[in-house]
Amino acid sequence: MMCAIAGLRIPNPSRDLLACVTSMTDRLRHRGPDGAGVWIDRSNLVGLGHRRLAVVDPSPRSNQPMHSICGRYVVVFNGEIYNHKKLAANLSERGHSFRTTSDTEVLVETIAALGLRQAVEVIEGMFAFAVWDEELRKLSVCRDRFGIKPCYWFWRNGTFVFASELKALIENPLCWCELDPVSIRHLLDYGYVASPRTAFANVHHLEPGTILNLCDDSSPSLERYWDGATARAGSQDRHAGRAREDLIDHAAAIVTDTIQQYINADVPVGTFLSGGVDSSIITAIAARQTSGKISTFSVGFTEEHWNEAHRAQAIAAHLGTKHHTVHISPNDALALVEMLPDVYDEPFADFSQLPTLALCRFAREHVTVCLSGDGGDELFGGYSRYAWAAQVWRSLASLPESERRARLSELQRGTISSPLRMLLPEAILCELAKVLPLGTPTHKFPAFYHRVMRSGAPSVFCPFGSPSSDHDDWPAPSDASLLDSMQAYDLRRYMGDGVLTKVDRASMSTALEVRIPFLAEPVVEFAFGLSQEHRQLGSALRPLQRALALRYVPEKLLDPGKMGFGFPVDSWLRTCLRTWADDLLSPVFLRSIPYLQHRLVERLWSEHRSGKVNHHWQLWPVLMYVQWHWRWRGCVGRAQSQECLVDAETAKIFGDGQ
């Protein structure tokens, strides 16, 4: 039941509840064009709203909000419960009779039978839902384990408001929105805002694996029901002693069972196929489970260096799918880039957001549901940085602390001495030169890995207030291996706040449901139990997962040099997107945007535009922030532009900044 949810609870009857909730759900129509519903409890001043994209049991009997048979619970639900048939069978054995075949009814009746906490522990899927408990007069909002489905909330002086997207909150007169400088800094450095923060200081993003409870007029309380680090620690070495082929058989069986559940829908289903390991596994197994040819979708570019459509086409031909390719030309880029502030109503800057949007819009012309290979890199060890970052840190950590400080400072200054060249291969030194920005020297691994994940230049954020601490919430225990630590971070942050945000907003902007089999609970549990040698063997990435892929696709088609999913940002900013960027980065325009070192941005843009230096890593987040701020400036008008001093280190290198 891929949809949108919204709702509120207010302390006094000063507002028209029906009008407020209806207004929010209307703003989310793109997520659910097939129907709408609102439920109001005027005695408790509670309202729940829903927009529906009908995927399972599309009949009106499955519309929401939905009440439990006992009458105690009312639920609005966004997502899919993939084990709903098994749960329904268990409830039927206990005498329950179902009115629909929808997973929404299974959800609300599982809550009625087991209670909310136990229910969220047994359901498997992607979800964000809200449930009103009439008996306890309690409103609860819950989000899935990895944060595949979003949920934002606001609370102030007894007023509580929540919704699937920020646009339903920031235009709501009940909500008070003020820019959060810490979040803007994180956006400019990493390309996304880290939950539970949002771009606004007083609006929050419910964290994955968390239940929010609101009783009467008290403040919301948060309850964690699942934690990735704890789950990994409990699963580690589960497969100790098992033969490699036995593990590959096990992985094939688990992924096959998962995909059998994930292709279950009353609407057309397809897959994204990039030509890489992850999407090839998903597509190959889905093709075997589908009667007739399954539809597959990929993106191509007119620039041959960036075009991998031929690889996806070759794999599709091998698997016998009905393949479709959308080619993005420079002329298409401007129309797509101007859509981004409405698609991402929180500033967001991922280099693949533009092709992802194009792919989702194209796929929606043919299907309503698509399977994606997201999550495979994070679970099975597919990123090249896992190998070289670990090698760098082990090499540096072996040095006395004073020498380690000196070598890291060299790297951060961009100077590479003979001792460093002896310590590390040239290719790795080149990678480090790109990712280690100037700033406070890095001496602990969490801080080092944060630097690896940041853009490679001094932050364009204007120093203001208290700086954010990047690694206070490092999502791995202190005794975890380097690989475990990097994977834990990427699952929680890079994937959780970055990749999943990108996919959800792009797909739901055009009412396309994207399902992610690698994030199914049985697959995650299996991956968490793998020893390091099955995730990284020397310089070989994800050896076990790659061996699984080779059962379906010839090795010659699985090129290990596959590039990341992006587009030629650097050249397009100098050509087809130049006028657009010129307007956004003009001196007059920039000075109306808070928290930017305006003169530094102007200098970076001038150098990039001339072709002297490639600054697209720093400029893309700035462009996304400026364009977003311009689109939503009426809603963030309370945030005043700040004229800030530039820190001494940056001023010395780049000039006076302001």
Side-chain angles (χ1 to χ4, degrees):
M1 190 69 68
M2 196 54 60
C3 310
I5 61 173
L8 52 80
R9 189 174 188 187
I10 59 177
N12 56 69
S14 59
R15 296 278 180 177
D16 184 338
L17 291 177
L18 179 61
C20 282
V21 178
T22 300
S23 175
M24 286 194 291
T25 56
D26 285 348
R27 283 301 277 120
L28 302 174
R29 187 182 188 280
H30 55 280
R31 296 183 72 96
D34 297 332
V38 174
W39 171 83
I40 300 296
D41 182 337
R42 299 187 187 281
S43 62
N44 289 294
L45 301 176
V46 175
L48 300 177
H50 188 258
R51 291 291 322 194
R52 186 181 184 196
L53 174 63
V55 173
V56 177
D57 191 0
S59 66
R61 65 187 180 179
S62 293
N63 287 348
Q64 301 181 42
M66 185 176 287
H67 296 250
S68 62
I69 287 180
C70 66
R72 176 176 173 178
Y73 299 97
V74 187
V75 70
V76 285
F77 165 56
N78 169 31
E80 297 288 347
I81 306 300
Y82 297 116
N83 64 336
H84 73 276
K85 291 184 177 180
K86 178 181 178 181
L87 295 174
N90 292 339
L91 290 172
S92 295
E93 291 177 0
R94 300 170 63 169
H96 185 85
S97 178
F98 286 92
R99 301 160 289 175
T100 75
T101 59
S102 73
D103 53 350
T104 307
E105 184 179 8
V106 173
L107 172 64
V108 72
E109 297 304 338
T110 300
I111 294 171
L114 304 179
L116 176 59
R117 176 58 189 259
Q118 190 173 347
V120 297
E121 291 176 350
V122 301
I123 61 177
E124 298 177 0
M126 56 179 180
F127 52 84
F129 66 84
V131 58
W132 170 250
D133 183 336
E134 177 64 30
E135 182 176 310
L136 297 181
R137 295 179 41 149
K138 180 172 74 171
L139 180 63
S140 299
V141 185
C142 185
R143 195 172 178 215
D144 65 62
R145 292 162 178 80
F146 286 101
I148 304 173
K149 292 291 104 182
C151 188
Y152 295 89
W153 61 277
F154 168 91
W155 186 88
R156 187 179 185 221
N157 296 334
T159 294
F160 177 76
V161 189
F162 71 91
S164 293
E165 292 184 13
L166 272 173
K167 58 175 61 74
L169 297 182
I170 61 181
E171 295 181 326
N172 190 316
L174 291 171
C175 299
W176 174 59
C177 298
E178 181 180 2
L179 277 181
D180 177 10
V182 174
S183 295
I184 300 306
R185 176 180 180 177
H186 200 278
L187 164 81
L188 295 172
D189 283 346
Y190 297 93
Y192 59 85
V193 175
S195 61
R197 291 183 180 274
T198 71
F200 304 106
N202 40 13
V203 179
H204 313 280
H205 200 177
L206 187 62
E207 291 192 89
T210 301
I211 303 170
L212 179 151
N213 293 305
L214 184 69
C215 298
D216 297 320
D217 296 330
S218 60
S219 302
S221 63
L222 299 173
E223 175 185 3
R224 182 65 60 87
Y225 71 87
W226 190 87
D227 177 80
T230 303
R232 182 186 288 276
S235 299
Q236 280 188 326
D237 299 327
R238 179 169 293 177
H239 309 307
R242 296 180 64 180
R244 183 172 182 268
E245 287 301 312
D246 180 35
L247 284 174
I248 298 171
D249 289 341
H250 191 180
I254 290 174
V255 177
T256 298
D257 288 346
T258 296
I259 290 176
Q260 285 177 339
Q261 292 181 320
Y262 278 45
I263 61 175
N264 177 43
D266 297 323
V267 293
V269 179
T271 74
F272 294 147
L273 180 60
S274 67
V277 169
D278 301 318
S279 63
S280 295
I281 292 173
I282 299 300
T283 298
I285 296 176
R288 295 185 176 195
Q289 305 298 321
T290 306
S291 59
K293 290 188 174 184
I294 193 169
S295 292
T296 52
F297 305 91
S298 65
V299 171
F301 294 93
T302 55
E303 289 85 347
E304 189 56 35
H305 174 70
W306 281 88
N307 186 32
E308 293 190 304
H310 57 281
R311 185 177 301 158
Q313 179 67 58
I315 293 176
H318 174 77
L319 298 176
T321 73
K322 185 179 181 181
H323 193 61
H324 311 264
T325 303
V326 56
H327 283 88
I328 305 177
S329 70
N331 290 332
D332 300 323
L334 184 59
L336 287 168
V337 80
E338 289 181 339
M339 296 177 186
L340 295 179
D342 282 301
V343 172
Y344 298 91
D345 49 10
E346 179 169 58
F348 183 79
D350 185 300
F351 296 125
S352 61
Q353 66 192 113
L354 191 148
T356 299
L357 178 59
L359 181 62
C360 289
R361 292 171 66 84
F362 177 64
R364 186 62 177 91
E365 297 174 7
H366 304 271
V367 298
T368 307
V369 174
C370 257
L371 307 190
S372 165
D374 290 316
D377 286 312
E378 291 83 358
L379 285 172
F380 292 96
Y383 291 123
S384 61
R385 61 178 176 267
Y386 292 159
W388 67 256
Q391 182 180 348
V392 169
W393 186 253
R394 289 192 188 99
S395 298
L396 293 174
S398 66
L399 300 174
E401 183 172 349
S402 59
E403 189 175 350
R404 186 194 321 168
R405 289 173 180 264
R407 299 296 169 246
L408 280 165
S409 295
E410 283 179 30
L411 289 168
Q412 291 174 296
R413 289 195 305 270
T415 59
I416 301 176
S417 65
S418 295
L420 267 180
R421 293 187 186 279
M422 295 175 61
L423 190 65
L424 297 167
E426 189 69 27
I428 289 180
L429 290 172
C430 290
E431 289 286 350
L432 282 171
K434 297 177 185 176
V435 301
L436 281 180
L438 289 162
T440 305
T442 304
H443 309 299
K444 302 295 183 182
F445 183 73
F448 171 78
Y449 195 64
H450 271 289
R451 293 300 177 93
V452 168
M453 298 300 289
R454 278 176 59 179
S455 58
S459 176
V460 295
F461 176 81
C462 185
F464 177 80
S466 300
S468 61
S469 177
D470 288 328
H471 48 276
D472 284 348
D473 61 344
W474 185 253
S478 58
D479 60 347
S481 71
L482 297 183
L483 179 59
D484 284 348
S485 289
M486 290 184 284
Q487 288 185 276
Y489 174 88
D490 284 348
L491 281 166
R492 176 64 185 89
R493 290 299 177 199
Y494 178 69
M495 186 192 71
D497 291 327
V499 174
L500 296 180
T501 296
K502 172 191 67 181
V503 173
D504 176 80
R505 304 307 186 278
S507 61
M508 294 310 295
S509 71
T510 189
L512 175 73
E513 175 178 322
V514 174
R515 300 179 176 181
I516 307 177
F518 283 129
L519 295 186
E521 284 80 352
V523 179
V524 171
E525 184 176 321
F526 171 81
F528 278 1
L530 291 173
S531 65
Q532 179 160 327
E533 69 179 24
H534 294 303
R535 291 173 282 144
Q536 181 183 324
L537 189 59
S539 60
L541 303 172
R542 52 176 167 201
L544 188 136
Q545 191 198 23
R546 186 172 178 82
L548 174 62
L550 291 175
R551 290 192 172 186
Y552 307 105
V553 179
E555 186 165 14
K556 64 181 180 181
L557 298 181
L558 285 177
D559 186 345
K562 180 184 182 298
M563 68 182 66
F565 185 49
F567 74 101
V569 188
D570 54 342
S571 62
W572 283 10
L573 285 178
R574 299 186 187 100
T575 54
C576 59
L577 298 180
R578 177 165 174 167
T579 300
W580 166 79
D582 270 334
D583 290 342
L584 292 174
L585 302 182
S586 66
V588 173
F589 200 104
L590 274 179
R591 280 167 170 73
S592 70
I593 309 298
Y595 310 131
L596 285 177
Q597 295 188 50
H598 305 134
R599 291 187 183 176
L600 172 55
V601 172
E602 291 163 24
R603 184 169 300 182
L604 293 174
W605 175 231
S606 177
E607 292 175 355
H608 184 92
R609 190 174 51 192
S610 70
K612 295 178 181 177
V613 187
N614 179 8
H615 289 308
H616 78 270
W617 285 94
Q618 296 80 50
L619 291 170
W620 188 253
V622 173
L623 287 162
M624 291 297 97
Y625 170 49
V626 173
Q627 185 176 232
W628 170 84
H629 193 280
W630 180 252
R631 165 62 181 87
W632 296 100
R633 64 187 303 121
C635 303
V636 299
R638 284 177 289 273
Q640 301 298 315
S641 296
Q642 303 290 332
E643 292 297 328
C644 304
L645 297 176
V646 181
D647 62 280
E649 183 176 30
T650 304
K652 182 170 60 177
I653 297 168
F654 286 94
D656 62 356
Q658 287 295 111

